[in-house]
Amino acid sequence: MNFIKEILKEIPSPSFSVDKTTIMYRIEGEQSIDFLDRISTNKISEETKNISSKTIITDNKGSIVDILSYSIINDSQINFVIKKNNVKKTLNHLKDFIILEDINFILEKPIIKLSTFNLDDSTIQKLQKQSLLSFKYDNNLINSREFFIYENDFEKLSIYVLKDNKIQEISKKETNLIDLYTKKINFDNRVSKINPLECGLYEYISFDKGCYIGQEVIARLHNYEKISRKLTYFISEKPVRKNENIKINNKLVGKIIDFECYEENFFGISLIKKRAFDNFANNGLIYLS
């Protein structure tokens, strides 16, 4: 993993990147909180009002449909963020599980996702005042945060907060490398049959809340320690594709989740069978030929 650490050290600090591939919706209606709590993995209640968090939408088999960033605005309104690629499948899934709830899904104003790295506390506080949702990701190399901000507020914010403090903008490729290194899942719901426990997303799962879609499968896998795959780095000299199967010695051992091309290599994260990981991983890394 030394090479990826060297790449990250070359990235300007502090820095930021902008992503316009997300869309914000709101669930509106008196039963909004009860509805989202009923169908997702986290405990969602009025006690978490004005606190941004993430939750996972799963299907009946416990596979991820989407990972939602959300914030409870008031008793009858929740804002949540979906990647543009995921909108159709995620909204259809949510609507399929409305039973008696009197709720609506309403498209919000255009937003941007602002990813920041190694910002000082005063700059973070300024951004938090402007953002709808804010999340923190810590690791041993870089302190990264995610903000979702209305697009029409961002231009002014960029000039007076980011550029005024000489914070440099980095490329999408550099941002992706950071996300991959920190094993942050930018989930694409066209990738099928992935359980949230396999991805290590325990912090977004409540094991003591009531039933939700897929709860029985997830609880059984957790209680009986039946998780058979683990999130693992890989490097390949040959081009790869998302959701592509990984074979070693002509045996199917895993699946590619996400990747980025750097120079002549493809670096990414994959779901690998535990036995294959034990046999072929070197310092937590699988080399594909």
Side-chain angles (χ1 to χ4, degrees):
M1 292 304 299
N2 288 335
F3 93 97
I4 188 66
K5 291 183 179 180
E6 292 303 316
I7 294 170
L8 296 182
K9 287 178 182 178
E10 294 175 6
I11 295 174
S13 181
S15 57
F16 73 94
S17 67
V18 173
D19 180 0
K20 295 184 178 181
T21 65
T22 54
I23 295 177
M24 179 170 284
Y25 278 83
R26 69 177 183 271
I27 308 175
E28 199 168 80
E30 292 183 1
Q31 295 162 311
S32 298
I33 295 174
D34 291 340
F35 170 73
L36 192 57
D37 181 65
R38 179 171 63 79
I39 66 164
S40 63
T41 56
N42 249 345
K43 177 62 180 173
I44 300 171
S45 69
E46 292 185 17
E47 296 176 2
T48 57
K49 194 180 299 181
N50 298 320
I51 298 175
S52 301
S53 188
K54 290 180 185 284
T55 193
I56 304 170
I57 308 297
T58 49
D59 62 19
N60 290 319
K61 296 182 179 180
S63 297
I64 299 173
V65 175
D66 210 340
I67 303 169
L68 300 183
S69 303
Y70 76 91
S71 181
I72 299 174
I73 306 304
N74 54 49
D75 295 344
S76 59
Q77 182 177 325
I78 301 174
N79 285 348
F80 66 96
V81 176
I82 314 177
K83 288 182 65 177
K84 288 182 178 178
N85 287 343
N86 295 348
V87 168
K88 184 176 180 180
K89 185 173 181 179
T90 298
L91 283 184
N92 285 342
H93 179 86
L94 293 173
K95 291 174 182 178
D96 282 345
F97 286 99
I98 295 174
I99 300 177
L100 297 174
E101 292 92 353
D102 184 15
I103 58 173
N104 292 302
F105 296 94
I106 300 171
L107 181 64
E108 264 284 9
K109 294 183 290 185
I111 63 164
I112 64 102
K113 181 174 78 171
L114 175 68
S115 298
T116 66
F117 311 99
N118 287 336
L119 266 59
D120 60 71
D121 290 341
S122 63
T123 305
I124 288 172
Q125 289 172 5
K126 292 175 185 176
L127 291 173
Q128 285 176 323
K129 289 180 181 179
Q130 297 291 329
S131 68
L132 300 168
L133 303 174
S134 169
F135 304 94
K136 183 178 181 179
Y137 303 93
D138 286 315
N139 59 78
N140 61 342
L141 276 183
I142 207 157
N143 177 5
S144 61
R145 287 182 184 259
E146 220 175 60
F147 299 89
F148 293 93
I149 299 172
Y150 285 126
E151 199 171 278
N152 54 6
D153 292 335
F154 177 70
E155 185 175 349
K156 183 165 132 182
L157 182 73
S158 174
I159 294 171
Y160 293 106
V161 176
L162 298 173
K163 294 181 180 177
D164 192 47
N165 286 278
K166 298 181 179 179
I167 300 168
Q168 298 183 56
E169 185 171 3
I170 60 175
S171 68
K172 181 179 179 182
K173 181 187 287 287
E174 291 170 316
T175 304
N176 288 345
L177 285 169
I178 292 171
D179 287 348
L180 291 168
Y181 179 73
T182 56
K183 292 185 178 177
K184 183 176 151 210
I185 304 292
N186 292 306
F187 189 74
D188 185 335
N189 64 26
R190 292 171 296 182
V191 177
S192 60
K193 296 183 180 178
I194 296 177
N195 185 281
L197 300 181
E198 296 175 322
C199 300
L201 298 172
Y202 288 85
E203 62 186 305
Y204 306 131
I205 301 172
S206 173
F207 292 100
D208 57 6
K209 66 171 281 187
C211 290
Y212 56 86
I213 309 304
Q215 184 262 346
E216 290 185 3
V217 176
I218 291 173
R220 187 164 60 250
L221 290 172
H222 174 66
N223 293 336
Y224 294 99
E225 299 182 351
K226 293 292 186 179
I227 303 303
S228 60
R229 300 184 295 182
K230 64 184 298 180
L231 212 59
T232 306
Y233 297 117
F234 74 86
I235 291 179
S236 174
E237 294 179 355
K238 297 179 181 179
V240 294
R241 300 187 309 274
K242 285 187 181 181
N243 208 28
E244 180 180 350
N245 288 331
I246 294 174
K247 290 185 177 181
I248 298 178
N249 297 336
N250 292 321
K251 291 185 177 181
L252 181 62
V253 298
K255 176 180 291 190
I256 290 171
I257 304 301
D258 203 356
F259 68 92
E260 184 59 66
C261 177
Y262 182 77
E263 294 182 348
E264 296 181 357
N265 292 308
F266 294 84
F267 168 75
I269 49 177
S270 58
L271 276 175
I272 296 291
K273 292 179 181 178
K274 286 185 177 180
R275 184 176 296 178
F277 179 87
D278 294 339
N279 291 335
F280 301 109
N282 183 5
N283 293 323
L285 182 67
I286 296 283
Y287 290 88
L288 305 180
S289 56

